[in-house]
Amino acid sequence: DWDAFFRQSYRVCKPGGWTESLISHSSFTSDDGSVKDDSAMAQWGRVWNAAGKKMGRLFNVYELDLQQKAMEAAGFVDIQVKEYFLPVNTWPEDKKLAEKGLWWKIMIESDLEGESAYDEVVHGNVLSLY
């Protein structure tokens, strides 16, 4: 319940305080088109989101912009959205991105169930609001 969460957060913030929240995209996509619409990775996102909707729990929080809407409704005013690209493997030529990709890959392969329960499915776009 993002509305209740951010109302509570707003209530306990001191004047000038801030709240930060992180959410990731609920589906795997690619910036170069390599994740095709009929691929297993793309299908995973559709199945994941359909399952969430069927259970009455939306997993596509990022895509629906639910956090920012809830922050606005709670009274936050200086809301900043920062999107970050994070690879899920070591393919980037940029060494820092490749290292981040390695850590995301290890996390996914080590605990997809736990990651899924905690923060949906890892994708390259991460939303940070404060």
Side-chain angles (χ1 to χ4, degrees):
D1 184 345
W2 293 110
D3 289 319
F5 176 79
F6 285 114
R7 275 194 311 270
Q8 175 96 354
S9 179
Y10 186 81
R11 185 181 64 76
V12 298
C13 269
K14 292 181 180 180
W18 53 274
T19 295
E20 183 173 356
S21 184
L22 173 86
I23 195 73
S24 57
H25 200 287
S26 65
S27 301
F28 289 96
T29 61
S30 61
D31 59 345
D32 65 358
S34 59
V35 177
K36 305 293 183 201
D37 195 45
D38 63 345
S39 70
M41 291 179 81
Q43 290 176 38
W44 164 262
R46 289 191 297 275
V47 169
W48 179 252
N49 287 325
K53 187 174 182 178
K54 191 171 188 174
M55 293 186 305
R57 181 177 175 171
L58 297 176
F59 295 140
N60 50 348
V61 174
Y62 172 83
E63 295 90 322
L64 296 174
D65 206 18
L66 298 179
Q67 288 187 329
Q68 185 170 351
K69 291 174 184 174
M71 290 182 110
E72 290 168 353
F76 286 96
V77 290
D78 187 21
I79 299 171
Q80 299 176 24
V81 177
K82 295 182 181 181
E83 294 184 358
Y84 298 93
F85 173 77
L86 294 171
V88 292
N89 209 325
T90 59
W91 54 262
E93 291 181 21
D94 178 278
K95 296 225 183 271
K96 286 186 178 186
L97 277 179
E99 183 179 2
K100 289 177 183 180
L102 174 63
W103 287 110
W104 279 111
K105 179 180 184 286
I106 289 169
M107 186 271 309
I108 291 169
E109 290 177 348
S110 299
D111 188 25
L112 183 57
E113 181 181 358
E115 167 59 19
S116 296
Y118 173 73
D119 190 23
E120 303 176 11
V121 177
V122 174
H123 176 271
N125 290 328
V126 177
L127 176 67
S128 179
L129 302 168
Y130 53 93

